Amino acid sequence: MSEYASAGEPDVAFFDVDETLISVKSMFRFLDFYLEARGEAPGTYRRLAGELQQMAGLGVPREAVNRAYYRLYAGESERRLARLGAQWFAQESQSAGFWLAAAVSEHDRLRRQGAATVLVSGSFFACLDPIAEALDASDVLGAPVVIRDGRLTGEIGEPMIGRGKEHAALNWLTRQGLSPSRCSAYGDHLSDVPLLQAVGTPVVVGDEPQMASLAEQRGWRRLPYALTTA
């Protein structure tokens, strides 16, 4: 057994973020906040978000849509994005229903019992770092944005979507010398399935029909999509 968890608990729990721990899509909510902070013309967010959603609607792979999103930040300062991310979170997290009660409670319980918790998301540091700090998560695996001379190039490494989440989690475990069989993972979407399949204890969050069916077929645990009230 590792140094992390007590007997009967996982060494590490990997958590998807959007619609697993929080109720919003952090990338889009932050983009809206960011564009307003930059003083962009009204309607800019609607146009850009619409273009990304149109790509998805046309069947463009999620990985490609994810890459297109990060090109919107080309040339932006890493430090400024981190500062804006903290401001965004301070505002967003005050909204009732921001946190998803069941998964957050599970996260807190595992931390108290000594498990490491790792957030795994297609979102990026501006959104994820303040969320991880608020939860006291052990680590964050977000979109590997490319930064040169303190500025985002607009490009990323392997998107943290689908197999990308699995690869990142398994690489993290290899560095720690830990076994996937002693880990759990939490996700709400079909794109989380590779990550869930890679660990010993997969947990489905919410009631997405395909995920609910998969959980039933494979005997995976489920947690409800339950909003916090404050």
Side-chain angles (χ1 to χ4, degrees):
M1 187 171 69
S2 85
E3 62 183 304
Y4 292 110
S6 58
E9 294 293 345
D11 291 328
V12 183
F14 295 98
F15 283 84
D16 173 52
V17 177
D18 293 2
E19 300 183 308
T20 295
L21 287 165
I22 64 174
S23 62
V24 303
K25 293 185 180 296
S26 61
M27 294 166 60
F28 284 95
R29 296 294 279 261
F30 176 74
L31 179 62
D32 192 10
F33 182 91
Y34 165 76
L35 292 171
E36 183 176 349
R38 275 184 42 160
E40 295 289 345
T44 301
Y45 168 75
R46 187 178 301 108
R47 175 177 61 80
L48 294 175
E51 290 172 0
L52 294 170
Q53 290 164 353
Q54 183 178 39
M55 290 175 66
L58 291 172
V60 175
R62 285 169 60 97
E63 293 83 353
V65 178
N66 194 253
R67 289 186 183 279
Y69 173 86
Y70 289 108
R71 294 191 187 104
L72 300 175
Y73 298 101
E76 184 56 84
S77 161
E78 176 186 15
R79 292 180 64 182
R80 182 166 187 265
L81 284 169
R83 184 174 68 254
L84 288 174
Q87 294 171 5
W88 165 79
F89 175 76
Q91 174 180 300
E92 189 83 49
S93 61
Q94 295 305 306
S95 302
F98 175 77
W99 298 105
L100 294 179
V104 169
S105 177
E106 187 100 341
H107 178 280
D108 292 347
R109 179 183 65 79
L110 290 168
R111 289 295 288 135
R112 288 194 303 271
Q113 294 178 353
T117 57
V118 182
L119 308 189
V120 189
S121 173
S123 192
F124 72 136
F125 68 88
C127 307
L128 297 177
D129 286 354
I131 293 172
E133 182 177 1
L135 291 171
D136 189 32
S138 307
D139 208 345
V140 178
L141 300 174
V145 294
V146 178
I147 299 171
R148 295 198 182 99
D149 299 323
R151 293 187 178 274
L152 276 67
T153 67
E155 300 303 318
I156 61 173
E158 182 179 16
M160 209 62 92
I161 306 281
R163 292 289 180 191
K165 287 186 177 181
E166 175 193 10
H167 296 161
L170 293 179
N171 287 338
W172 190 94
L173 290 171
T174 297
R175 294 193 298 271
Q176 301 296 325
L178 298 173
S179 169
S181 66
R182 285 277 305 162
C183 299
S184 59
Y186 298 75
D188 69 292
H189 190 271
L190 282 174
S191 63
D192 297 319
V193 169
L195 172 62
L196 299 185
Q197 292 180 146
V199 300
T201 306
V203 184
V204 171
V205 179
D207 299 313
E208 197 282 324
Q210 289 178 286
M211 290 295 283
S213 176
L214 190 62
E216 183 176 358
Q217 292 170 16
R218 301 188 181 184
W220 292 354
R221 284 184 60 212
R222 289 180 60 192
L223 290 177
Y225 184 96
L227 302 177
T228 54
T229 57

